[in-house]
Amino acid sequence: MNTKTRVLIADDHSMVLEVLSLFLSSQPDLEVLSAGDLDGALKVIADVGPVDVTLLDLNMPGMNGLEGLRRALDASEGKPVAIITGTPTRRVLDETLEMGGAGLIPKTMQARSLANAIRFIASGEVYTPLSLMHEETNTNNNANSPLSDREMTVLNYLGEGKQNKEIAFELELSEATIKMHVRSICTKLSANNRTHAVFIARNTGLL
Protein backbone atom coordinates (compact mmCIF):
# COMPACT_ATOMS: atom_id res chain seq x y z
CA MET A 1 0.00 0.00 0.00
CA ASN A 2 1.41 3.37 -1.06
CA THR A 3 1.77 5.64 1.97
CA LYS A 4 3.60 8.41 0.14
CA THR A 5 2.14 11.92 -0.10
CA ARG A 6 1.35 12.61 -3.75
CA VAL A 7 2.28 16.15 -4.79
CA LEU A 8 1.38 17.83 -8.07
CA ILE A 9 3.52 20.83 -9.02
CA ALA A 10 2.43 22.96 -11.98
CA ASP A 11 4.84 25.59 -13.28
CA ASP A 12 5.60 26.83 -16.79
CA HIS A 13 9.29 27.38 -16.00
CA SER A 14 10.80 24.03 -16.94
CA MET A 15 13.99 24.55 -14.94
CA VAL A 16 12.07 25.44 -11.77
CA LEU A 17 9.80 22.45 -12.29
CA GLU A 18 12.72 20.09 -12.91
CA VAL A 19 14.73 21.22 -9.87
CA LEU A 20 11.76 21.10 -7.49
CA SER A 21 10.57 17.76 -8.81
CA LEU A 22 14.06 16.27 -8.58
CA PHE A 23 14.54 17.28 -4.94
CA LEU A 24 11.04 16.42 -3.76
CA SER A 25 11.20 13.03 -5.49
CA SER A 26 14.29 12.26 -3.46
CA GLN A 27 12.24 12.51 -0.27
CA PRO A 28 11.19 9.03 0.87
CA ASP A 29 7.66 10.13 1.79
CA LEU A 30 6.83 12.19 -1.31
CA GLU A 31 5.69 11.18 -4.79
CA VAL A 32 5.82 14.00 -7.35
CA LEU A 33 3.70 14.64 -10.43
CA SER A 34 4.19 17.69 -12.63
CA ALA A 35 2.55 19.85 -15.28
CA GLY A 36 3.55 22.92 -17.30
CA ASP A 37 0.28 24.84 -17.15
CA LEU A 38 -3.13 24.81 -15.52
CA ASP A 39 -4.77 22.65 -18.18
CA GLY A 40 -1.98 20.12 -17.76
CA ALA A 41 -2.49 20.10 -14.01
CA LEU A 42 -6.23 19.58 -14.37
CA LYS A 43 -5.58 16.73 -16.80
CA VAL A 44 -3.27 15.04 -14.28
CA ILE A 45 -5.97 15.31 -11.62
CA ALA A 46 -8.55 13.94 -14.04
CA ASP A 47 -6.27 11.04 -15.00
CA VAL A 48 -5.02 9.95 -11.57
CA GLY A 49 -7.64 11.44 -9.28
CA PRO A 50 -7.19 14.21 -6.68
CA VAL A 51 -3.66 14.23 -5.26
CA ASP A 52 -2.75 14.98 -1.65
CA VAL A 53 -1.30 18.44 -2.34
CA THR A 54 -1.39 20.59 -5.48
CA LEU A 55 0.91 23.59 -5.98
CA LEU A 56 0.02 26.03 -8.76
CA ASP A 57 2.34 28.70 -10.12
CA LEU A 58 0.41 31.97 -9.90
CA ASN A 59 1.57 33.33 -13.26
CA MET A 60 1.59 30.26 -15.48
CA PRO A 61 -0.66 29.96 -18.56
CA GLY A 62 -4.31 29.31 -17.79
CA MET A 63 -4.35 30.76 -14.29
CA ASN A 64 -6.03 34.08 -15.12
CA GLY A 65 -5.11 35.45 -11.74
CA LEU A 66 -6.59 33.21 -9.09
CA GLU A 67 -9.41 31.89 -11.26
CA GLY A 68 -7.19 28.87 -11.93
CA LEU A 69 -7.08 28.18 -8.21
CA ARG A 70 -10.86 27.98 -8.15
CA ARG A 71 -10.87 25.48 -11.02
CA ALA A 72 -8.22 23.34 -9.37
CA LEU A 73 -10.07 23.37 -6.05
CA ASP A 74 -13.23 22.20 -7.81
CA ALA A 75 -11.31 19.36 -9.44
CA SER A 76 -9.48 18.36 -6.26
CA GLU A 77 -12.58 17.33 -4.32
CA GLY A 78 -11.49 18.82 -1.02
CA LYS A 79 -7.78 18.05 -1.29
CA PRO A 80 -5.55 21.07 -0.56
CA VAL A 81 -4.39 23.36 -3.34
CA ALA A 82 -1.82 26.09 -2.68
CA ILE A 83 -0.26 28.87 -4.75
CA ILE A 84 3.48 29.09 -5.42
CA THR A 85 4.90 32.41 -6.63
CA GLY A 86 8.08 34.41 -6.89
CA THR A 87 6.30 37.56 -5.74
CA PRO A 88 4.20 36.72 -2.67
CA THR A 89 2.07 39.60 -1.40
CA ARG A 90 -0.44 40.01 1.39
CA ARG A 91 -3.20 40.65 -1.15
CA VAL A 92 -2.54 37.39 -3.00
CA LEU A 93 -2.38 35.51 0.30
CA ASP A 94 -5.68 36.96 1.49
CA GLU A 95 -7.44 36.20 -1.80
CA THR A 96 -5.98 32.68 -1.86
CA LEU A 97 -7.27 31.93 1.63
CA GLU A 98 -10.66 33.52 0.91
CA MET A 99 -11.09 31.16 -2.05
CA GLY A 100 -10.24 28.14 0.10
CA GLY A 101 -6.62 27.74 -0.95
CA ALA A 102 -4.15 26.03 1.37
CA GLY A 103 -1.68 28.88 1.44
CA LEU A 104 1.00 30.77 -0.43
CA ILE A 105 4.53 29.42 -0.94
CA PRO A 106 7.40 31.68 -2.12
CA LYS A 107 9.60 30.25 -4.88
CA THR A 108 12.59 31.61 -2.97
CA MET A 109 11.97 29.02 -0.25
CA GLN A 110 14.74 26.48 0.21
CA ALA A 111 13.92 23.03 -1.13
CA ARG A 112 14.04 21.39 2.30
CA SER A 113 11.65 24.01 3.68
CA LEU A 114 9.37 23.48 0.69
CA ALA A 115 9.18 19.77 1.48
CA ASN A 116 8.22 20.60 5.06
CA ALA A 117 5.61 23.11 3.87
CA ILE A 118 4.09 20.40 1.66
CA ARG A 119 3.93 17.99 4.60
CA PHE A 120 2.35 20.76 6.69
CA ILE A 121 -0.33 21.38 4.05
CA ALA A 122 -0.93 17.65 3.59
CA SER A 123 -1.70 17.41 7.32
CA GLY A 124 -4.59 19.81 6.81
CA GLU A 125 -2.88 23.04 7.81
CA VAL A 126 -2.59 26.33 5.90
CA TYR A 127 0.88 27.61 5.04
CA THR A 128 1.57 31.36 5.22
CA PRO A 129 5.02 32.99 4.82
CA LEU A 130 6.33 34.55 8.03
CA SER A 131 7.17 37.77 6.18
CA LEU A 132 3.53 38.26 5.21
CA MET A 133 2.35 37.42 8.71
CA HIS A 134 4.71 40.12 10.01
CA GLU A 135 3.02 42.49 7.59
CA GLU A 136 -0.36 41.43 8.99
CA THR A 137 0.85 42.08 12.53
CA ASN A 138 1.92 45.57 11.60
CA THR A 139 -1.47 46.20 10.02
CA ASN A 140 -3.40 44.84 13.00
CA ASN A 141 -1.32 46.83 15.46
CA ASN A 142 -2.11 50.00 13.58
CA ALA A 143 -5.85 49.74 13.05
CA ASN A 144 -6.17 53.49 13.62
CA SER A 145 -3.46 54.32 11.11
CA PRO A 146 -4.33 57.09 8.64
CA LEU A 147 -2.89 54.88 5.91
CA SER A 148 -4.77 52.31 3.87
CA ASP A 149 -3.68 48.66 3.93
CA ARG A 150 -1.94 49.08 0.57
CA GLU A 151 -0.18 52.24 1.78
CA MET A 152 0.96 50.36 4.89
CA THR A 153 2.37 47.64 2.64
CA VAL A 154 4.26 50.23 0.59
CA LEU A 155 5.46 51.92 3.79
CA ASN A 156 6.86 48.59 5.02
CA TYR A 157 8.83 48.25 1.80
CA LEU A 158 10.06 51.84 2.18
CA GLY A 159 11.22 50.90 5.66
CA GLU A 160 13.27 48.09 4.10
CA GLY A 161 14.96 50.63 1.84
CA LYS A 162 13.33 49.41 -1.38
CA GLN A 163 13.01 51.78 -4.33
CA ASN A 164 9.77 52.39 -6.23
CA LYS A 165 10.79 50.06 -9.05
CA GLU A 166 11.47 47.22 -6.61
CA ILE A 167 8.19 47.78 -4.77
CA ALA A 168 6.28 47.84 -8.05
CA PHE A 169 7.83 44.47 -8.96
CA GLU A 170 7.01 42.95 -5.57
CA LEU A 171 3.37 44.10 -5.64
CA GLU A 172 2.87 43.54 -9.39
CA LEU A 173 1.86 47.19 -9.83
CA SER A 174 3.13 49.98 -12.09
CA GLU A 175 5.88 52.26 -10.85
CA ALA A 176 3.52 55.22 -11.36
CA THR A 177 1.03 53.63 -8.95
CA ILE A 178 3.75 53.19 -6.32
CA LYS A 179 4.78 56.84 -6.73
CA MET A 180 1.16 57.81 -6.12
CA HIS A 181 1.06 55.73 -2.93
CA VAL A 182 4.34 57.26 -1.71
CA ARG A 183 2.98 60.78 -2.28
CA SER A 184 -0.18 59.86 -0.39
CA ILE A 185 1.85 58.40 2.49
CA CYS A 186 3.95 61.56 2.74
CA THR A 187 0.84 63.74 2.70
CA LYS A 188 -0.98 61.73 5.37
CA LEU A 189 2.08 61.60 7.63
CA SER A 190 3.00 65.26 6.99
CA ALA A 191 6.38 64.09 5.75
CA ASN A 192 8.70 66.02 3.45
CA ASN A 193 9.88 62.92 1.60
CA ARG A 194 9.97 59.12 1.77
CA THR A 195 12.88 59.07 4.22
CA HIS A 196 11.05 61.50 6.49
CA ALA A 197 7.91 59.33 6.21
CA VAL A 198 9.81 56.24 7.40
CA PHE A 199 11.33 58.29 10.26
CA ILE A 200 7.88 59.47 11.36
CA ALA A 201 6.38 55.99 11.00
CA ARG A 202 9.06 54.46 13.24
CA ASN A 203 8.73 57.20 15.84
CA THR A 204 4.94 56.80 15.99
CA GLY A 205 4.92 53.00 16.03
CA LEU A 206 3.57 52.48 12.51
CA LEU A 207 6.76 50.57 11.67
Side-chain angles (χ1 to χ4, degrees), residues 1-2 18 25-26 36 40 44 50 52 73-74 80 84 86 92 100 102 113 116 120 122 133 145 169-170 191-192:
M1 181 176 179
N2 186 7
E18 182 177 351
S25 295
S26 72
V44 170
D52 297 303
L73 284 167
D74 289 342
I84 184 168
V92 173
S113 297
N116 288 333
F120 187 69
M133 296 311 294
S145 167
F169 177 79
E170 294 284 351
N192 299 326

Side-chain angles (χ1 to χ4, degrees), residues 26-175:
S26 72
Q27 302 298 296
D29 60 328
L30 300 179
E31 176 186 338
V32 182
L33 304 171
S34 63
D37 54 27
L38 179 66
D39 287 342
L42 295 177
K43 185 177 187 306
V44 170
I45 295 172
D47 289 344
V48 307
V51 298
D52 297 303
V53 177
T54 298
L55 302 182
L56 302 176
D57 175 27
L58 178 62
N59 296 313
M60 69 180 173
M63 284 297 286
N64 297 320
L66 286 173
E67 178 57 31
L69 172 61
R70 191 187 308 279
R71 293 176 61 192
L73 284 167
D74 289 342
S76 295
E77 300 178 5
K79 295 289 187 178
V81 181
I83 292 294
I84 184 168
T85 176
T87 54
T89 66
R90 182 69 207 184
R91 175 182 60 82
V92 173
L93 173 62
D94 288 342
E95 292 179 359
T96 297
L97 299 185
E98 286 172 7
M99 292 176 65
L104 184 66
I105 296 179
K107 285 188 179 181
T108 53
M109 176 180 286
Q110 293 184 352
R112 187 177 302 278
S113 297
L114 174 60
N116 288 333
I118 289 171
R119 296 182 183 105
F120 187 69
I121 291 172
S123 73
E125 301 294 338
V126 172
Y127 182 85
T128 56
L130 284 177
S131 60
L132 297 187
M133 296 311 294
H134 174 68
E135 182 179 317
E136 177 189 35
T137 300
N138 284 341
T139 300
N140 290 341
N141 287 342
N142 298 288
N144 296 322
S145 167
L147 306 181
S148 67
D149 288 348
R150 175 48 56 83
E151 287 167 348
M152 280 300 303
T153 300
V154 172
L155 179 62
N156 273 279
Y157 281 122
L158 294 180
E160 294 173 3
K162 292 188 183 294
Q163 299 301 309
N164 290 349
K165 184 176 182 180
E166 295 174 295
I167 300 173
F169 177 79
E170 294 284 351
L171 298 182
E172 299 179 355
L173 297 172
S174 70
E175 193 171 347

Side-chain angles (χ1 to χ4, degrees), residues 169-195:
F169 177 79
E170 294 284 351
L171 298 182
E172 299 179 355
L173 297 172
S174 70
E175 193 171 347
T177 299
I178 300 303
K179 288 180 180 178
M180 179 189 70
H181 285 312
V182 172
R183 283 197 299 269
S184 178
I185 289 168
C186 289
T187 298
K188 290 181 178 181
L189 297 183
S190 299
N192 299 326
N193 52 46
R194 60 199 289 139
T195 302

